[in-house]
Amino acid sequence: MELTIYTLKSLAQVISDPYMALILFLLCVFLYRKNKKITLMQKMMVGERFVSPLELTLSQLVLGIIGGIIGSVVLSNLGVMFHENSGIELIFLFSFFLMIIKPRWICFSYSGALLGLLVIAINFFKDNGILKSIYISNISLDVTSLVVLIAVLHIVEGFLIMIDGDRGAIPVFSYKDEKLVGGFAFERYWPIPIAIMLLTSSATGISSGSIDTPQWWPLLKGDVNMKLMATSIAMMLPMYGVIGYKSVTFTESKRKKVFVSGVFNIVYGLIMVALTPIANFGLAG
């Protein structure tokens, strides 16, 4: 219970901290502008808009915050943690870039893959003596924690899609088999606050106070992190990420489409979580 309370207190910083509040404000402005375009397209297609841009933006903001809180509590209780030099914050930075550059790729699986490739490249250059930076050359990423982080975010994404994915759906038309077929295009984004647990050798500069963890914690025991925990302190780092959903359907209703998409995301995340212990104990080959 104390771990959950500490996680919630850490998440409060994403609103109280001026820098984090500015990021949230800019995200809301970005989402509002996109939602304004969506409502204009709705009006062009059917002659009226279904909901206002403000309503679309507020639902994204509120549900995203709720999803982020739930996801953060789950992650902290599972014991998902990263070394302070893991570069895990980049996975959330990548989500911002993907939202702007290629919205269809806004998925933490892609962001995680980019981070993994970056770590592989850094280790390659380090082994060949090309990198001399102490910070970069000491990068340490626990793959088990990374997989579970992505899995939990997929589950959160699945529920957000099921609940809010059909809002702002745009009626679209296409010729199929020489017939005019109607359907819907979906494009939704949710800013989520996430509190990531970091292992650091210093208690300063990350959060206020240390965490008194229970005896059974952590449930997730990654090889890298378990070795580091002996000489490190676990602290919380709150940050923002973006979860997105973009799709189109010509054969299903709006509700059925987002429900099926959400279920697929949840099942995918659960499978990733279930397979993590197998891979961790070396039973997956």
Side-chain angles (χ1 to χ4, degrees):
M1 186 64 181
E2 185 175 347
L3 187 60
T4 299
I5 294 175
Y6 189 88
T7 302
L8 296 177
K9 288 182 178 179
S10 299
L11 282 173
Q13 296 182 27
V14 300
I15 298 177
S16 61
D17 182 77
Y19 174 73
M20 300 298 290
L22 176 61
I23 294 177
L24 180 60
F25 173 76
L26 294 176
L27 279 172
C28 289
V29 171
F30 177 83
L31 293 175
Y32 180 82
R33 294 182 63 181
K34 290 192 73 70
N35 289 328
K36 193 172 182 179
K37 293 179 181 179
I38 288 174
T39 56
L40 287 175
M41 293 180 66
Q42 287 178 338
K43 194 170 184 178
M44 290 174 58
M45 297 299 295
V46 297
E48 62 179 356
R49 64 186 187 186
F50 303 122
V51 290
S52 67
L54 181 60
E55 183 181 350
L56 289 173
T57 305
L58 288 177
S59 67
Q60 289 170 306
L61 175 63
V62 173
L63 291 174
I65 290 176
I66 294 174
I69 291 173
I70 295 174
S72 296
V73 171
V74 172
L75 289 170
S76 62
N77 281 278
L78 284 176
V80 174
M81 63 189 82
F82 300 89
H83 190 265
E84 60 179 332
N85 288 345
S86 65
I88 190 59
E89 62 273 12
L90 293 177
I91 195 175
F92 297 95
L93 185 62
F94 290 153
S95 71
F96 288 117
F97 286 135
L98 291 176
M99 178 180 65
I100 297 172
I101 299 172
K102 193 72 172 180
R104 186 173 291 275
W105 292 352
I106 184 171
C107 174
F108 279 100
S109 292
Y110 294 131
S111 299
L114 289 175
L115 178 59
L117 290 173
L118 180 62
V119 172
I120 292 174
I122 289 175
N123 289 334
F124 173 80
F125 291 132
K126 179 186 68 174
D127 294 339
N128 287 274
I130 300 175
L131 281 179
K132 302 298 182 181
S133 171
I134 296 177
Y135 177 84
I136 296 179
S137 62
N138 288 336
I139 190 168
S140 178
L141 180 64
D142 188 276
V143 177
T144 302
S145 291
L146 177 61
V147 171
V148 175
L149 170 64
I150 295 173
V152 171
L153 292 176
H154 264 287
I155 295 172
V156 171
E157 178 184 349
F159 282 110
L160 289 175
I161 292 173
M162 293 172 64
I163 296 171
D164 194 52
D166 63 329
R167 280 183 177 268
I170 304 172
V172 293
F173 300 93
S174 176
Y175 279 100
K176 189 174 183 180
D177 298 329
E178 298 183 352
K179 293 182 180 179
L180 184 63
V181 181
F184 294 96
F186 309 91
E187 187 173 2
R188 296 290 280 163
Y189 305 97
W190 300 275
I192 58 168
I194 290 291
I196 297 294
M197 192 169 293
L198 294 183
L199 294 173
T200 176
S201 57
S202 173
T204 59
I206 294 182
S207 186
S208 58
S210 59
I211 306 170
D212 185 17
T213 57
Q215 292 293 328
W216 51 263
W217 187 89
L219 291 176
L220 182 68
K221 295 177 172 60
D223 292 336
V224 175
N225 288 340
M226 293 308 295
K227 294 177 182 177
L228 292 172
M229 281 186 66
T231 57
S232 301
I233 301 172
M235 311 296 290
M236 285 289 188
L237 175 67
M239 62 187 76
Y240 275 108
V242 180
I243 286 177
Y245 172 63
K246 188 172 184 178
S247 186
V248 64
T249 181
F250 291 100
T251 59
E252 299 172 316
S253 66
K254 291 189 296 182
R255 289 305 307 163
K256 182 179 179 181
K257 175 61 178 179
V258 297
F259 179 81
V260 172
S261 297
V263 169
F264 277 146
N265 271 270
I266 294 171
V267 172
Y268 177 69
L270 291 174
I271 291 175
M272 290 180 68
V273 173
L275 292 179
T276 299
I278 299 177
N280 192 41
F281 285 105
L283 299 178

